[in-house]
């Protein structure tokens, strides 16, 4: 057996297993690598080193003679998290509908609990299914909608955004579908305990006092109880109850430490903070994703898991879909597609000119295309140019 860098893997080699990777993609069984495409797919999923059996390496002539059934189902069956089975345009309509349905469900759940009745668990499971299916078809559509949000519906949209981001994250970790379902449902309900927090605290458009914050901290405990009673499983319950816990024990409400916090809870903590930092609120301007990543990095490893944060950033991209960016040509647009091999060169839908301060013809610019003589200058905030992204999104992006 020999351990080699993924760069040295060639078609015809027999892979025994993955040794080092940034994600947690599972390879079902070992086998020969058939094509360069398989190798590219392994690279795209974050595989860094593999173990091979040199005695089984097929040479050029032998390689072409091997019947297809002897070929590595294993390596070829690796799910490429970047694979898109639908186009962004066709997925957007479906994703926008799913998002609206999820928002109505959140609204109804809060009302139901406030009036003393129970929440409709099957509806939450169904919504989670729908969101995950969309993320697996083309993650860009829901990711884009999650970025462009209304300022006054944070409570409703935050939970949906966390569930979208966590399903993207879990997909890139190569987690099993049943686990992703629990994580997504848990994320949809992670802040449901806020139903027991007084409105004066919940809706306060400013920083909470120490006493108010003590009351607010209890929402995670309430969420834990609600999800536990709904029997949604251990993973979902822990996400609801422990998403504010930190690895060094400085979190709340239980003060648990790293040894008590599962990988799933650690993922939820990262996503929850990322969405809160980047959210536009009535009283607060949202951070750009780049800045939020920097802040999260500063809080590793004492608060957040370093390796998991790296996978998350890789999964949603340094310039996530939905981010407003300015190009060197001074054109302004929204990142509308990712290029996983060249994360700093995404596809941008331009619609405004920063220097001329006027709207321009809407078109997609693929910055990875060698014929495109343009590049990313910076992620910007809509306020800088008084741009109403929501209005633009509804008119220009939804088919
Ligand atoms: Fe929370």
């Amino acid at each position: 057996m020999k351990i080699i860098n993924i760069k040295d893997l060639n078609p015809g080699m027999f892979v025994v297993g993955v040794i080092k990777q940034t994600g947690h993609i599972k390879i079902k069984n070992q086998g020969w690598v058939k094509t360069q495409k398989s190798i590219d797919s392994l690279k795209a999923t974050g595989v860094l080193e593999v173990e091979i059996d040199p005695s089984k390496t097929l040479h050029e002539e032998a390689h072409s003679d091997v019947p297809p059934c002897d070929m590595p189902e294993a390596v070829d069956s690796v799910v490429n998290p970047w694979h898109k089975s639908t186009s962004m345009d066709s997925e957007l309509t479906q994703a926008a509908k799913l998002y609206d349905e999820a928002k109505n469900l959140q609204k109804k759940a809060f009302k139901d609990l406030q009036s003393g009745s129970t929440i409709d668990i099957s509806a939450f499971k169904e919504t989670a299914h729908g969101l995950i299916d969309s993320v697996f078809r083309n993650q860009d559509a829901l990711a884009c909608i999650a970025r462009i949000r209304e300022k006054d519906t944070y409570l409703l949209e935050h939970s949906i955004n966390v569930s979208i981001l966590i399903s993207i994250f879990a997909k890139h970790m190569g987690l099993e579908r049943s686990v992703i379902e629990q994580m997504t449902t848990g994320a949809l309900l992670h802040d449901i305990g806020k139903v027991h927090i007084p409105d004066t605290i919940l809706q306060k458009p400013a920083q909470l006092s120490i006493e108010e914050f003590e009351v607010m901290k209890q929402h995670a405990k309430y969420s834990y109880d609600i999800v536990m009673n709904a029997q949604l499983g251990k993973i979902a319950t822990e996400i609801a109850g422990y998403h504010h816990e930190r690895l060094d024990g400085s979190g709340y409400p239980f003060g648990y430490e790293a040894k008590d916090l599962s990988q799933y809870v650690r993922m939820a903590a990262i996503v929850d903070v990322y969405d809160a930092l980047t959210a536009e609120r009535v009283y607060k301007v949202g951070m750009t994703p780049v800045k939020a990543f920097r802040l999260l990095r500063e809080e590793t490893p004492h608060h957040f898991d370093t390796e998991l944060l790296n996978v998350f950033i890789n999964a949603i991209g340094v310039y996530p879909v939905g981010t407003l960016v300015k190009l060197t040509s001074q054109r302004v647009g929204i990142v509308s597609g990712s290029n996983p091999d060249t994360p700093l060169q995404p596809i941008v839908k331009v619609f405004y000119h920063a220097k001329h301060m006027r709207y321009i013809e809407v078109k997609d610019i693929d910055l990875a295309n060698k014929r495109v003589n343009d590049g990313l200058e910076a992620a910007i905030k809509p306020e800088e140019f008084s741009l109403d992204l929501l209005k633009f999104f509804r008119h220009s992006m939804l088919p």
Side-chain angles (χ1 to χ4, degrees):
M1 301 300 156
K2 191 178 165 195
I3 294 172
I4 59 164
N5 190 292
I6 189 75
K7 283 191 295 209
D8 302 319
L9 185 65
N10 289 314
M13 285 181 172
F14 188 90
V15 175
V16 180
V18 172
I19 300 296
K20 203 166 157 195
Q21 60 180 325
T22 51
H24 292 263
I25 301 295
K26 284 193 196 97
I27 292 190
K28 286 183 188 128
N29 33 44
Q30 39 184 265
W32 280 280
V33 183
K34 194 165 42 176
T35 58
Q36 185 57 42
K37 217 172 133 208
S38 304
I39 298 170
D40 293 342
S41 146
L42 286 173
K43 280 183 191 162
T45 52
V47 172
L48 302 172
E49 281 179 1
V50 291
E51 186 173 30
I52 59 158
D53 183 347
S55 69
K56 290 186 178 171
T57 299
L58 300 166
H59 298 292
E60 200 73 69
E61 16 357 303
H63 176 203
S64 54
D65 288 343
V66 177
C69 56
D70 285 338
M71 283 305 185
E73 271 213 354
V75 177
D76 280 343
S77 69
V78 169
V79 180
N80 177 357
W82 295 109
H83 175 75
K84 291 166 190 170
S85 63
T86 53
S87 70
M88 173 74 161
D89 283 350
S90 65
E91 191 58 38
L92 262 179
T93 319
Q94 176 81 348
K97 204 170 143 242
L98 276 164
Y99 199 89
D100 283 346
E101 282 169 8
K103 213 160 137 181
N104 288 334
L105 180 65
Q106 291 282 349
K107 228 183 272 177
K108 189 174 172 299
F110 268 88
K111 258 197 204 140
D112 287 348
L113 285 173
Q114 271 160 349
S115 65
S117 34
T118 52
I119 45 174
D120 182 357
I121 290 306
S122 59
F124 272 94
K125 282 187 179 169
E126 214 175 289
T127 299
H129 273 275
L131 295 175
I132 298 166
D133 285 342
S134 176
V135 159
F136 271 81
R137 285 192 297 267
N138 187 335
Q139 68 178 50
D140 292 344
L142 274 175
C144 187
I145 294 173
R147 284 277 310 140
I148 303 160
R149 63 175 102 209
E150 290 176 50
K151 282 184 188 168
D152 53 352
T153 55
Y154 176 76
L155 191 58
L156 301 174
E157 299 199 344
H158 171 67
S159 293
I160 305 168
N161 293 353
V162 170
S163 64
I164 291 167
L165 293 169
I166 214 161
S167 62
I168 293 173
F169 194 175
K171 176 180 75 160
H172 283 259
M173 293 281 292
L175 301 178
E176 280 171 31
R177 172 81 190 207
S178 60
V179 172
I180 303 179
E181 280 167 14
Q182 269 207 57
M183 293 181 78
T184 308
T185 318
L188 276 173
L189 289 162
H190 80 283
D191 270 347
I192 195 74
K194 285 187 177 171
V195 71
H196 297 308
I197 306 295
D199 264 358
T200 44
I201 295 179
L202 211 53
Q203 311 287 358
K204 190 176 173 183
Q207 208 172 3
L208 301 178
S209 69
I210 294 172
E211 295 76 26
E212 287 167 335
F213 190 49
E214 283 306 313
V215 177
M216 184 63 144
K217 281 178 178 178
Q218 295 308 309
H219 80 272
K221 172 85 183 67
Y222 299 135
S223 293
Y224 183 89
D225 293 340
I226 293 169
V227 177
M228 166 107 108
N229 289 334
Q231 297 182 333
L232 284 166
K234 191 168 182 262
I235 297 173
T237 310
E238 289 192 352
I239 285 178
Y242 307 163
H243 63 274
H244 289 291
E245 303 294 332
R246 297 292 177 259
L247 297 177
D248 61 358
S250 64
Y252 63 84
F254 304 102
Y256 286 156
E257 293 175 14
K259 64 176 173 33
D260 311 304
L261 305 172
S262 69
Q263 168 184 265
Y264 316 116
V265 168
R266 295 173 188 212
M267 290 167 72
I270 291 171
V271 173
D272 180 49
V273 172
Y274 169 79
D275 188 70
L277 290 174
T278 53
E280 292 285 321
R281 308 284 291 268
V282 177
Y283 58 90
K284 154 183 127 27
V285 172
M287 256 182 214
T288 61
V290 179
K291 211 167 165 194
F293 290 144
R294 200 177 307 141
L295 213 130
L296 281 162
R297 268 199 206 285
E298 282 168 14
E299 299 201 18
T300 59
H302 53 295
H303 282 178
F304 304 111
D305 187 304
T306 313
E307 196 196 329
L308 288 175
L309 178 61
N310 288 340
V311 179
F312 177 62
I313 296 172
N314 183 44
I316 66 163
V318 185
Y319 292 95
V321 175
T323 304
L324 188 68
V325 290
K326 187 162 79 171
L327 305 183
T328 44
S329 64
Q330 297 305 298
R331 290 183 291 185
V332 170
I334 287 179
V335 175
S336 60
S338 44
N339 283 321
D341 292 335
T342 52
L344 299 179
Q345 294 172 309
I347 301 158
V348 178
K349 200 179 271 295
V350 295
F351 61 93
Y352 189 79
H353 199 286
K355 202 169 155 203
H356 302 149
M357 290 169 72
R358 63 173 174 80
Y359 286 90
I360 54 173
E361 188 197 345
V362 177
K363 58 177 165 184
D364 280 320
I365 310 285
D366 185 349
L367 295 176
N369 184 332
K370 287 194 176 68
R371 279 174 298 177
V372 170
N373 188 23
D374 209 344
L376 277 181
E377 188 173 290
I380 55 169
K381 296 196 191 102
E383 305 79 47
E384 290 178 39
F385 299 98
S386 313
L387 296 171
D388 185 344
L389 277 190
L390 205 61
K391 207 166 133 199
F392 164 76
F393 178 73
R394 287 206 178 114
H395 285 100
S396 306
M397 290 191 77
L398 281 179

